């Protein structure tokens, strides 16, 4: 096997940890029900992770494995909702989402420090080691999402 096909194979394996390409629905599908989370994610480097690559690098599986791991589905380019939360095909409906057990059976993943570290590892071009708690704060889209959900309940 050529080195390049090995990388593609590794990328597919990495993808299967969160779901297969056909399980993805894309961030626009989450947006309608989670507008706060979507807006904040849009402003994080994750949403632009593919844009950091040159056109040639955007075809290089070695870069895509972290900058756009679900590349096989164009709707889910960059580091997207489903890269961390799992492919939404079976869970992304209001009925399933409200049931915290069912939603996990349907593929919702709980993002973890270990998950972050699959990309934020020694090979990424960071000046400082990955500080989970500090980095988590920088991508906080859940405080706003939870506040909005609380408001909805009160109505
Ligand atoms: C049809 C509306 C709808 C769609 C589409 C939807 N969600 Fe949800 N989601 C909800 C509702 C309702 C809840 C329950 C909590 C709340 O009110 O926010 C929820 C809860 C969640 C939770 C917390 C679940 C728990 O039990 O911890 C996550 C994470 C989440 N959604 C992510 C996503 C992602 C990622 C997508 C897109 C792939 C998505 N949602 C698409 C309506 C939706
Ligand atoms: C699929 C790979 C991947 C995963 C998983 C991932 N990241 Fe990232 N992250 C990236 C890439 C790539 C960038 C750089 C994006 C760019 O600027 O091109 C980045 C950038 C960031 C940044 C901005 C740069 C910095 O260090 O301040 C933060 C913060 C961050 N990630 C936090 C997290 C956290 C927290 C998790 C886990 C909950 C996580 N990431 C999971 C790939 C990933
Ligand atoms: C192991 C995962 C991983 C791989 C593979 C990877 N990157 Fe990254 N890359 C990251 C992370 C994580 C960051 C953010 C680092 C930080 O700021 O903490 C990043 C940041 C960058 C940035 C800086 C973005 C900015 O705006 O500051 C560029 C450019 C970049 N990577 C290009 C590449 C290229 C080109 C390749 C392929 C040769 C590549 N990366 C492969 C994880 C990866
Ligand atoms: C880099 C990984 C990452 C990406 C990308 C990401 N999330 Fe999250 N998300 C998390 C983490 C981590 C948490 C939970 C933090 C906690 O429990 O304290 C979370 C929490 C949430 C919650 C709140 C769940 C609850 O318990 O109330 C919602 C809703 C959500 N995300 C939706 C989205 C949507 C929609 C997108 C895309 C627009 C997205 N996320 C992109 C990592 C990510």
């Amino acid at each position: 096997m050529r080195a390049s096909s090995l990388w593609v194979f590794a990328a597919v394996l990495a993808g299967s940890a969160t779901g297969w390409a056909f399980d993805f629905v894309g961030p626009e599908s989450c947006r309608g029900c989670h507008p706060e989370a979507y807006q904040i994610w849009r402003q994080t480097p994750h949403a632009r992770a593919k844009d950091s690559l040159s056109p040639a690098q955007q075809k290089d599986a070695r870069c895509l494995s972290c900058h756009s791991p679900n590349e096989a589905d164009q709707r889910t380019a960059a580091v997207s909702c489903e890269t961390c939360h799992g492919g939404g095909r079976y869970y992304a409906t209001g009925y399933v989402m409200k049931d915290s057990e069912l939603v996990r059976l349907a593929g919702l993943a709980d993002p973890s420090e270990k998950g972050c570290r699959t990309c934020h590892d020694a090979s990424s071009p960071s000046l400082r080691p990955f500080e989970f708690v500090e980095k988590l704060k920088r991508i906080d889209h859940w405080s706003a999402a939870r506040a909005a959900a609380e408001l909805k309940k009160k109505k």
Side-chain angles (χ1 to χ4, degrees), residues 18-34:
T18 45
W20 295 101
F22 52 78
D23 285 342
F24 294 117
V25 295
E28 295 306 320
S29 305
C30 316
R31 182 182 195 172
C33 299
H34 298 291

Side-chain angles (χ1 to χ4, degrees), residues 78-91:
V79 180
S80 191
C81 316
E82 294 164 284
T83 309
C84 299
H85 290 287
R89 185 175 171 199
Y90 302 107
Y91 71 69

Side-chain angles (χ1 to χ4, degrees), residues 45-46 48-50 52 65-67 69 79 83-84 111-112 115-116 118-120 126 130 132 135-136 138-139:
H46 286 148
R48 299 185 303 270
K50 198 182 163 187
S52 297
S65 64
C66 293
H67 285 261
V79 180
T83 309
C84 299
S112 67
C116 312
T118 59
C119 299
H120 291 271
S126 189
F130 186 75
F132 180 60
K135 298 290 182 183
L136 206 52
R138 290 204 215 166
I139 63 159

Side-chain angles (χ1 to χ4, degrees), residues 126-137:
S126 189
L127 298 173
R128 288 188 295 133
F130 186 75
E131 265 293 336
F132 180 60
V133 178
E134 183 219 322
K135 298 290 182 183
L136 206 52
K137 279 189 206 137

